[in-house]
């Protein structure tokens, strides 16, 4: 069976381009492109057979199908030859059963998809493997590409740098100076990327990178390039796969440039079209209150959209006021009966800290999603008996400074209600005993008040 895919204009003007063409927007109308698949060929295989094939490949060693992205190659990017795929065994991240935290906020079945367990510490690996693999093949086929570039607030640059390093391709990164964590800054440097720290915000970096890629033989790696969406869409497919092919009621995801929301919806819609699932979950997109243009648009029923000047937020990766994938995201949210919620600095920091107390170790962006979920539960939009999955986009270890400042009480706009600092004591048994027993008693009291004494059913799904 021949599986085919191509770029197509999202506005429906009819423009199509092959996947190996260097094009990022429709040349006729200027709209974004998306990857379309020859679904008739894919539908020739029954949905139950796709499940069996993907389960058989999942986390195995047969190249390249052990990657949870490339295990679904036919639906992701059939145009790339296997010998040109650049894979770091992405996908297959832990689906964490967050029972204790769910009990605290009023959700009986809460799962957290730990995409921060990917190779570079964020979900961006899922899309970057597809994009860099396609570039790797294009270069091998004679296309003149001297480098691959992105504007980033951290995670995209790390993924691009790692995959380019694995392929031997030059990575070029534009970062807004002073707006990324040290851990995020060092990743592209360590992988040999040319890293430019610019006196502007993400939107300013994005404008410059688009101009550079338009003028020079440099390939654009930001989410307006829909090749990345094809990898990122597998997170939704994988969630359903890890839940034994059952669809959750809700998926909550942080949104900045909004490519992740678009990707999540695309994968689930294609699963339904192939007969793999029969219904769709609802999607909640969570934004930081200081960078919330989609939330403001949602309040008007998406009748209007106005970019905003993003303000400083601890959720740096979604500190974006003019998201390039807004049209795609609105289309997805409309199809999934979706909602958009926001979280203040206090709410996101408190939600992240509370989740950490139950065994998670969340980045601030996941804190935004968890805080949004809390608000949706309180309003009755999400019900106690709903099966909910929160997508955690990055590993908390990338944001140790955020966590340290929270517990020290120096994080702006975030009173440290869950603060926990070292206790300095003399090296004497009596002092140590009193401190230990006092802390244990205090902790028991907190659990009793929450109504969860005795613990929860923490765990994972493979």
């Amino acid at each position: 069976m021949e599986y085919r895919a191509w770029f197509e204009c999202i506005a429906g003007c009819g423009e199509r381009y092959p996947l190996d063409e260097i094009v990022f927007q429709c040349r006729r109308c200027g709209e974004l492109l998306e990857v379309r698949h020859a679904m008739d060929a894919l539908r020739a295989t029954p949905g139950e057979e796709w499940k069996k094939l993907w389960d058989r490949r999942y986390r195995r060693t047969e190249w390249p199908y052990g990657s949870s992205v490339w295990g679904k190659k036919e639906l992701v990017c059939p145009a790339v030859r296997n010998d040109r795929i650049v894979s770091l065994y992405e996908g297959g991240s832990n689906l964490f059963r967050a029972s204790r935290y769910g009990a605290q906020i009023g959700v009986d079945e809460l799962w957290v998809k730990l995409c921060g367990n990917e190779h570079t510490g964020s979900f961006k690996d899922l899309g970057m493997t597809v994009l860099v693999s396609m570039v790797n093949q294009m270069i091998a086929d004679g296309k003149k590409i001297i480098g691959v570039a992105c504007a980033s607030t951290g995670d995209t640059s790390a993924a691009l740098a790692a995959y380019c390093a694995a392929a031997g391709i030059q990575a070029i990164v534009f970062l807004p100076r002073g707006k990324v964590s040290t851990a995020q800054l060092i990743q592209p440097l360590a992988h040999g990327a040319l890293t430019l720290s610019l006196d502007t915000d993400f939107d300013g970096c994005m404008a410059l990178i688009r101009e550079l890629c338009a003028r020079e033989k440099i390939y654009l790696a930001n989410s307006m390039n829909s090749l990345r969406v094809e990898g990122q869409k597998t997170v939704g497919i994988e969630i359903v796969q890890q839940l034994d092919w059952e669809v959750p009621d809700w998926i909550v995801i942080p949104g900045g440039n909004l490519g992740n929301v678009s990707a999540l919806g695309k994968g689930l819609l294609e699963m339904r079209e192939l007969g793999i699932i029969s219904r769709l979950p609802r999607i909640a997109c969570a934004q930081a209150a200081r960078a919330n243009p989609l939330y403001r648009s949602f309040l008007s029923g998406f009748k209007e959209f106005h970019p905003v000047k993003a303000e400083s937020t601890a959720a740096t990766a979604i500190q974006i006021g003019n998201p390039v994938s807004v049209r795609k995201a609105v289309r997805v949210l409309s199809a999934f009966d979706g909602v958009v919620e926001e979280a203040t600095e206090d709410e996101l920091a408190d939600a992240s800290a509370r989740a950490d107390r139950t065994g998670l170790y969340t980045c601030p962006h996941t804190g935004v999603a968890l805080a949004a979920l809390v608000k949706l539960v309180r309003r009755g939009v999400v019900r106690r008996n709903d099966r909910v999955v929160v997508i955690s986009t990055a590993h908390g270890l990338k944001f140790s400074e955020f966590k340290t400042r929270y517990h020290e009480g120096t994080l702006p706009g975030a009173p440290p209600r869950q603060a926990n600092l070292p206790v300095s004591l003399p090296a004497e048994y009596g002092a140590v005993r009193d401190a230990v027993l006092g802390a244990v008693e205090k902790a028991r009291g907190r659990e009793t008040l929450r109504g969860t004494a005795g613990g929860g059913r923490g765990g994972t799904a493979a």
Side-chain angles (χ1 to χ4, degrees), residues 5-335:
W6 58 88
F7 291 126
E8 189 167 321
C9 177
I10 67 169
C13 74
E15 282 288 282
R16 288 187 177 188
Y17 311 94
L19 294 186
D20 63 355
E21 188 162 340
I22 302 174
V23 57
F24 310 115
Q25 291 175 276
C26 177
R27 292 180 181 138
R28 177 182 292 180
C29 70
E31 267 292 356
L32 293 181
L33 305 173
E34 64 182 353
V35 175
R36 293 280 181 87
H37 292 264
M39 297 302 286
D40 287 345
L42 291 161
R43 278 194 297 267
T45 299
E48 289 301 315
E49 291 303 311
W50 285 120
K51 292 180 188 179
K52 291 176 183 178
L53 176 63
W54 293 346
D55 280 341
R56 187 167 68 248
R57 291 172 171 176
Y58 187 71
R59 311 307 284 166
R60 302 293 181 173
T61 56
E62 181 188 357
W63 180 266
Y65 303 115
S67 156
S68 192
V69 172
W70 293 108
K72 303 165 180 69
K73 181 185 177 185
E74 297 85 354
L75 188 60
V76 171
C77 194
V80 179
R81 298 188 298 271
N82 283 2
D83 64 336
R84 294 299 171 187
I85 287 174
V86 184
S87 173
L88 303 176
Y89 206 57
E90 50 286 320
S93 57
N94 180 18
L95 190 61
F96 180 92
R97 180 67 184 266
S99 296
R100 286 192 64 224
Y101 187 74
Q104 291 175 15
I105 67 172
V107 177
D108 289 340
E109 187 175 347
L110 175 63
W111 301 84
V112 180
K113 178 64 170 164
L114 298 178
C115 293
N117 290 4
E118 299 293 342
H119 179 72
T120 71
S122 87
F123 79 103
K124 298 297 178 73
D125 291 10
L126 303 176
M128 208 57 73
T129 181
V130 178
L131 184 142
V132 174
S133 295
M134 195 70 237
V135 172
N136 195 40
Q137 180 169 301
M138 291 162 69
I139 292 172
D141 292 343
K143 287 283 199 305
K144 300 299 182 184
I145 299 173
I146 63 173
V148 186
C150 75
S152 177
T153 49
D155 292 331
T156 301
S157 66
L160 175 64
Y163 281 85
C164 281
I169 299 170
Q170 180 63 57
I172 303 159
V173 171
F174 287 12
L175 296 172
R177 183 178 298 171
K179 295 181 175 66
V180 301
S181 72
T182 302
Q184 290 174 301
L185 175 61
I186 198 62
Q187 284 183 284
L189 296 177
H191 289 306
L194 172 61
T195 304
L196 306 182
S197 182
L198 305 179
D199 290 323
T200 184
D201 58 9
F202 172 83
D203 296 316
C205 289
M206 190 67 216
L208 286 167
I209 210 82
R210 289 174 68 173
E211 183 177 0
L212 178 71
C213 292
R215 293 170 177 263
E216 310 296 338
K217 297 182 188 304
I218 296 172
Y219 196 81
L220 180 67
N222 280 98
S223 59
M224 68 181 296
N225 186 325
S226 54
L227 281 172
R228 275 182 48 196
V229 169
E230 293 309 289
Q232 289 171 201
K233 76 184 183 185
T234 62
V235 70
I237 301 172
E238 189 173 289
I239 285 170
V240 176
Q241 185 177 13
Q242 289 174 307
L243 292 173
D244 298 321
W245 301 106
E246 294 183 2
V247 178
D249 298 301
W250 283 92
I251 299 178
V252 186
I253 186 168
N257 221 13
L258 303 179
N260 53 357
V261 179
S262 312
L264 174 65
K266 188 174 190 291
L268 292 162
L269 286 167
E270 289 173 349
M271 287 179 78
R272 186 177 67 173
E273 190 171 352
L274 295 179
I276 298 169
I277 59 176
S278 58
R279 70 180 185 89
L280 299 174
R282 296 186 69 184
I283 293 177
C285 177
Q287 292 206 295
R290 293 182 175 179
N292 63 351
L294 187 67
Y295 173 73
R296 298 184 188 196
S297 179
F298 171 72
L299 294 179
S300 68
F302 298 126
K303 292 177 182 177
E304 297 180 344
F305 177 83
H306 302 288
V308 301
K309 176 68 174 176
E311 301 176 32
S312 178
T313 171
T316 53
I318 57 175
Q319 187 178 316
I320 299 169
N322 189 19
V324 298
S325 297
V326 60
R327 180 167 177 169
K328 289 183 179 180
V330 169
R331 187 175 62 181
V332 162
L333 289 168
S334 299

Side-chain angles (χ1 to χ4, degrees), residues 359-373:
L360 287 157
Y361 194 66
T362 56
C363 67
H365 320 94
T366 305
V368 172
L370 292 171
L373 173 60

